[in-house]
Amino acid sequence: LYSRDDFESRSGYTDPEIMRTALASVILQTKRLGLGDLASFPLLDAPTEAQLNAGTNTLQELGALTTGGKLSAVGKQLAGMPLDPQLGRMLLAAQSAACIESVLVIVSALAVQDPREVPPDQRQLAREMHRRFALGNSDFLDWLQLWDYYASLRATHSQGKLRKRLQAEFLSASRMREWRDMHRQLRLSLRSIGIKVAVREQHYDPEKKAGIENKREYESIHRALLKGIPLQIGTLEKPVDNQSRPGGTARSKKNRAGDYIGPRGLRFALWPGSGLANKKPRWVLAAEIVETSRVYARHVARIEPAWIAAELSHLTRFEYGEPRWQARRGRVVATRRTLLFGLTLGEQKNFPFDQVDAARARQIFIQTALVEQQLDPDARLQAKAKFWQHNLEVLADASEVENRLRRRDLQISDQALFAFYDARLPQQVFDRVSLSRWLQKTGAEAQQALLLGRDEAFARQLPLDALQQFPSHLDSAGKHYALRYAFAPGASDDGVTVRIPLTEVAHMPLPALEWLVPGMLVDKVEELIKILPKAQRKKLLPLADTAASLSQLVVRDFGLGSCSLYDALLAKASAQYGVNFDVASWRGLARDRLPDFYLMRAEVIDANGKVIDSDRALPVLQQRCMRVMDTQVQQATRDRAPALISRWDFGALQSSGNVAGDAAGAQRCLRENTEGELALEFCASAAEARMHTRLALPRLAMHALPDKVRYLRKQLLRDARQLLPYVGVGDRAGLLDDLIKAAIAHAC
């Protein structure tokens, strides 16, 4: 029964079949017969535009139409088959893959109603009986098992017994017969178009276990099926933790866990009756997508995304990420995603971008590898690319000039350097391999053009005396100290750094280091004036002119680095401008308020050039390093357990720099201990070593003159009254030793 409103709302007649079915087959036949466009064909009931577009899209997905809308070679074959184009496309693909016997069984099963029956009151028992044919990875292969089983029953049972056996096992005898008839009809129709297919004769093996199948055959069968149903695929959605969702919201009912994502935004779940429902493979192919309470995929199989990309290359497109230079591979690469109507099939992280856009790959190669110096050539390319090392040296020299002058507008710009390489390299050079190949073929003239000239490395001409004001060495008291420049505001080594050997720390030229270098003197003097108290600073206006004048005066009258810069400046400022200020206070203000690069930075290095310590507070650094040397000397002395000396048989005293195993910077000396014994030991400085040696030499002379010493011990201080002034200071033996050593020292 139904209501009047329901009855009156129904259509008076059944919708025409052309309005209810897929039109792919109809469009295929109209094109084969040359009837023109179906949309303009004078039908009694014209299909909708959506139906026509869906049918045309299906044929394009199957490869049955060319880009111009005409039948392709595949389309002509499909038009001659009395079968749905999708099923026909599976058979054509199976013929090429040499698996048409198996695929024909599957296609004929898909063309009829499923013979497996599941009564509602015996659902569990029926599924247990049907599970005998499940192989686990593919519902399609279950059809092959069932076909082989049916063939074995037909060979051993009469019609009556066969019907009863099938009924007991929840299989429809009429549908099984219909399946077999469909298989025979398809074989005959294929024979009519020149495709001969043998009947599948495979012995049914009830002991065949799930998951055991021929991998090559499995791939061939499913790649053939994929050709006919290209968009009925999906990938398992990655699980997303609710905590990571915005606001911690839970997953919606439409996006349930275990859902699959397909092309064109399709979402579905696996049909519960499938053998793969609990396995949840990563990628699946489905024979049909149905919608009940949810969207389900029926008759599914596990597939690989590589099969999809290979078989559906006419439907896929590529999406590329931002190209980048990869030094390890020596070429420009990009991340490439393979997409099938919005579904990502795979991602290749380092795809050669020159295969996509060689011109842009060349630009990135020149900019990143050559201009930004990330070429990283191997030994073979290094030997061929003579220009590379030459240009690096030229640009390094230009960068050093910028560091010295504290400017960043002198070196050639990246744009100009790019234009330099772009004009000289051919279009086919876009990576390390192509560069090496071109260098091997080209002549010396082409390579000569790639050499960057010294003048070309600068964007503008330098002042003639600019570099003379920024020397590479500092000379003081006959010593040469290497200087290093850095223009890196905020960095610890910004400014000028002097490298001082550990052995020279005691003689560090502290006054000379206050002057920095000639090219920075005027600027430093101006900054020193700026930090003076206002009362003193007012007398020195204008600051720039006063700084230049004072700099000339102190250099002329005192000499660069001959004394403390603060003493020299204060002397001239007092004489010329009447400025009086405490030198120690001025030095303290400079330490606290001057930018770091106006204070000389010192690095103390060992004999191997390794930095031991560094600081801008030079007196503090000197004391710290002296303590380190003292500790090393004491350790070296303890480790050596010095032997006692009674005669000069150890050669000349020399610094530890020539004695292996000694403390760095230590000086060897002759030293007398409290017991009057002599030994070779080490001192932190040459001055200390000379002092101890000078004090120990009289004792060594006493060892060389034992008779004279013995005589003096007996003859001196025979009168006890001579000892009275020394009572409480020492004994007679100690006083005698001092007198004898003093006499020897006086005589020498």
Side-chain angles (χ1 to χ4, degrees):
L1 298 178
Y2 42 84
S3 66
R4 180 183 295 274
D5 293 338
D6 184 17
F7 175 76
E8 292 178 350
S9 65
R10 298 180 184 180
S11 175
Y13 303 95
T14 303
D15 291 337
E17 185 178 2
I18 197 170
M19 306 294 290
R20 294 183 281 112
T21 60
L23 299 182
S25 180
V26 178
I27 296 173
L28 188 66
Q29 295 302 325
T30 56
K31 289 186 176 294
R32 183 178 74 88
L33 298 173
L35 300 180
D37 189 3
L38 185 61
S40 59
F41 195 81
L43 296 170
L44 295 178
D45 297 289
T48 64
E49 184 179 358
Q51 285 181 286
L52 293 172
N53 291 338
T56 302
N57 290 339
T58 299
L59 294 178
Q60 289 175 342
E61 293 161 7
L62 298 177
L65 298 179
T66 64
T67 54
K70 297 182 179 181
L71 286 182
S72 64
V74 171
K76 292 176 182 179
Q77 287 182 295
L78 292 177
M81 301 174 67
L83 191 63
D84 182 272
Q86 291 181 306
L87 300 180
R89 187 67 184 92
M90 296 179 188
L91 294 175
L92 293 180
Q95 181 192 19
S96 302
C99 59
I100 192 169
E101 292 86 357
S102 299
V103 173
L104 182 59
V105 173
I106 297 172
V107 167
S108 57
L110 296 176
V112 299
Q113 193 172 354
D114 193 340
R116 293 171 292 190
E117 297 178 333
V118 184
D121 57 339
Q122 294 180 300
R123 187 185 305 273
Q124 185 65 29
L125 180 60
R127 287 186 174 172
E128 287 293 334
M129 296 295 292
H130 297 160
R131 196 170 290 123
R132 294 176 300 160
F133 311 114
L135 294 181
N137 285 329
S138 173
D139 293 341
F140 295 102
L141 298 187
D142 298 354
W143 292 112
L144 299 181
Q145 282 287 91
L146 181 57
W147 177 271
D148 296 338
Y149 176 67
Y150 180 60
S152 65
L153 291 181
R154 288 184 68 254
T156 58
H157 290 65
S158 63
Q159 290 294 328
K161 290 183 179 180
L162 176 62
R163 185 169 52 255
K164 292 180 181 179
R165 178 72 176 268
L166 294 176
Q167 184 177 3
E169 296 178 357
F170 300 97
L171 297 173
S172 172
S174 60
R175 293 175 187 170
M176 292 294 293
R177 187 166 53 252
E178 182 184 0
W179 180 14
R180 187 167 177 272
D181 291 341
M182 176 61 70
H183 181 271
R184 182 177 61 83
Q185 292 174 17
L186 291 178
R187 283 184 59 241
L188 294 176
S189 62
L190 288 174
R191 183 181 300 176
S192 66
I193 61 173
I195 301 176
K196 295 182 179 181
V197 184
V199 178
R200 175 182 170 88
E201 295 181 357
Q202 188 77 25
H203 174 68
Y204 173 69
D205 182 9
E207 302 298 326
K208 190 172 184 179
K209 296 181 180 179
I212 304 298
E213 61 265 328
N214 185 300
K215 291 184 178 180
R216 181 175 297 179
E217 181 184 14
Y218 183 95
E219 180 179 347
S220 300
I221 291 174
H222 290 86
R223 289 179 71 155
L225 296 176
L226 182 62
K227 281 285 194 179
I229 42 178
L231 300 189
Q232 293 178 191
I233 60 174
T235 180
L236 186 64
E237 184 180 16
K238 294 181 180 179
V240 179
D241 187 2
N242 288 340
Q243 299 297 328
S244 63
R245 293 174 175 273
T249 57
R251 184 189 294 269
S252 66
K253 290 185 178 180
K254 291 185 178 181
N255 301 336
R256 302 179 187 178
D259 278 0
Y260 283 78
I261 304 173
R264 293 175 176 160
L266 175 66
R267 303 184 70 90
F268 60 85
L270 299 186
W271 177 54
S274 170
L276 283 76
N278 295 325
K279 294 185 176 182
K280 294 289 190 299
R282 186 76 180 87
W283 287 86
V284 295
L285 169 70
E288 59 178 341
I289 305 292
V290 297
E291 183 174 3
T292 55
S293 59
R294 293 182 64 187
V295 179
Y296 286 109
R298 292 171 54 90
H299 307 305
V300 298
R302 177 193 59 79
I303 59 173
E304 297 295 333
W307 304 350
I308 305 173
E311 298 298 333
L312 306 181
S313 58
H314 62 292
L315 299 178
T316 58
R317 68 179 182 87
F318 300 114
E319 187 177 87
Y320 298 91
E322 188 66 24
R324 62 196 181 277
W325 168 256
Q326 191 177 66
R328 184 173 62 86
R329 294 175 179 265
R331 69 191 313 174
V332 179
V333 299
T335 299
R336 183 174 82 165
R337 295 173 61 213
T338 305
L339 301 175
L340 177 67
F341 296 106
L343 177 64
T344 301
L345 302 180
E347 185 175 274
Q348 188 174 348
K349 293 188 177 297
N350 297 312
F351 185 81
F353 193 70
D354 53 89
Q355 298 180 14
V356 182
D357 189 344
R360 190 177 177 196
R362 179 177 179 273
Q363 293 176 353
I364 297 173
F365 167 71
I366 294 176
Q367 177 63 38
T368 309
L370 300 182
V371 176
E372 298 177 12
Q373 302 178 7
Q374 298 182 29
L375 179 62
D376 192 20
D378 55 18
R380 294 179 60 185
L381 180 57
Q382 189 80 40
K384 298 176 185 177
K386 302 296 184 183
F387 76 93
W388 178 246
Q389 191 60 38
H390 169 82
N391 290 357
L392 287 182
E393 293 174 358
V394 170
L395 293 173
D397 292 343
S399 179
E400 175 64 17
V401 171
E402 286 190 327
N403 288 336
R404 293 189 185 191
L405 302 183
R406 297 191 66 79
R407 295 176 61 177
R408 280 290 178 259
D409 59 344
L410 301 178
Q411 188 175 344
I412 183 175
S413 66
D414 287 353
Q415 294 80 2
L417 189 57
F418 179 93
F420 174 85
Y421 285 118
D422 185 39
R424 290 161 175 79
L425 288 174
Q427 295 298 317
Q428 66 269 23
V429 173
F430 44 73
D431 59 11
R432 272 206 306 254
V433 174
S434 58
L435 175 63
S436 178
R437 190 181 299 119
W438 176 74
L439 290 174
Q440 188 171 0
K441 294 180 180 179
T442 191
E445 294 183 1
Q447 283 220 45
Q448 189 69 25
L450 289 173
L451 297 178
L452 189 66
R454 300 284 173 178
D455 294 337
E456 292 176 307
F458 291 97
R460 53 180 50 83
Q461 190 173 3
L462 298 177
L464 295 178
D465 61 342
L467 295 182
Q468 297 177 2
Q469 301 298 314
F470 296 86
S472 59
H473 288 79
L474 174 67
D475 297 330
S476 178
K479 300 289 185 179
H480 301 279
Y481 302 99
L483 296 178
R484 180 166 55 83
Y485 296 84
F487 182 25
S492 60
D493 62 344
D494 185 31
V496 188
T497 298
V498 60
R499 294 171 64 84
I500 300 177
L502 182 60
T503 56
E504 301 293 333
V505 167
H507 311 292
M508 186 184 296
L510 298 179
L513 298 181
E514 292 178 349
W515 296 67
L516 286 179
V517 293
M520 300 179 68
L521 180 59
V522 175
D523 292 337
K524 180 172 182 177
V525 171
E526 184 176 351
E527 292 297 323
L528 287 173
I529 295 174
K530 288 180 180 179
I531 63 176
L532 286 172
K534 184 176 181 180
Q536 308 298 333
R537 192 171 63 249
K538 288 170 55 177
K539 301 177 181 180
L540 301 174
L541 295 175
L543 299 184
D545 295 340
T546 303
S549 176
L550 285 176
S551 299
Q552 289 181 347
L553 290 174
V554 294
V555 171
R556 184 193 66 189
D557 296 343
F558 293 95
L560 191 69
S562 61
C563 62
S564 170
L565 174 63
Y566 300 94
D567 291 335
L569 285 176
L570 196 57
K572 290 301 176 182
S574 176
Q576 297 289 329
Y577 303 98
V579 173
N580 292 307
F581 194 65
D582 181 58
V583 171
S585 300
W586 201 3
R587 187 178 283 110
L589 286 174
R591 184 172 57 252
D592 296 336
R593 297 173 58 181
L594 273 188
D596 284 346
F597 64 87
Y598 282 124
L599 300 175
M600 179 70 80
R601 178 177 177 271
E603 287 181 348
V604 179
I605 58 176
D606 60 14
N608 298 321
K610 182 180 178 181
V611 177
I612 300 174
D613 200 354
S614 63
D615 207 328
R616 296 184 191 273
L618 303 184
V620 175
L621 175 64
Q622 185 181 44
Q623 295 174 8
R624 206 160 55 224
C625 291
M626 291 297 292
R627 286 196 296 270
V628 171
M629 290 181 62
D630 289 340
T631 302
Q632 292 178 347
V633 167
Q634 294 171 8
Q635 182 64 39
T637 302
R638 286 195 299 269
D639 294 343
R640 280 180 172 271
L644 299 180
I645 299 296
S646 61
R647 56 186 299 179
W648 193 294
D649 56 359
F650 44 81
L653 294 174
Q654 54 189 342
S655 67
S656 66
N658 299 323
V659 181
D662 293 342
Q667 302 289 327
R668 196 162 65 156
C669 68
L670 187 64
R671 191 166 186 173
E672 181 182 3
N673 61 22
T674 56
E675 303 297 329
E677 298 171 336
L678 298 176
L680 288 176
E681 295 185 4
F682 297 93
C683 295
S685 66
E688 185 181 0
R690 286 193 297 270
M691 179 191 70
H692 285 294
T693 300
R694 187 170 60 251
L695 294 176
L697 284 175
R699 174 65 70 179
L700 185 63
M702 291 172 65
H703 285 299
L705 303 169
D707 295 339
K708 302 294 184 181
V709 171
R710 191 164 44 250
Y711 172 78
L712 291 175
R713 289 183 188 278
K714 290 181 179 180
Q715 298 301 322
L716 293 176
L717 302 178
R718 298 181 66 179
D719 187 352
R721 289 176 297 179
Q722 294 177 315
L723 294 174
L724 292 178
Y726 302 99
V727 174
V729 177
D731 56 9
R732 181 176 182 276
L735 181 58
L736 284 173
D737 280 350
D738 289 343
L739 288 173
I740 295 172
K741 287 192 291 183
I744 293 174
H746 180 73
C748 296

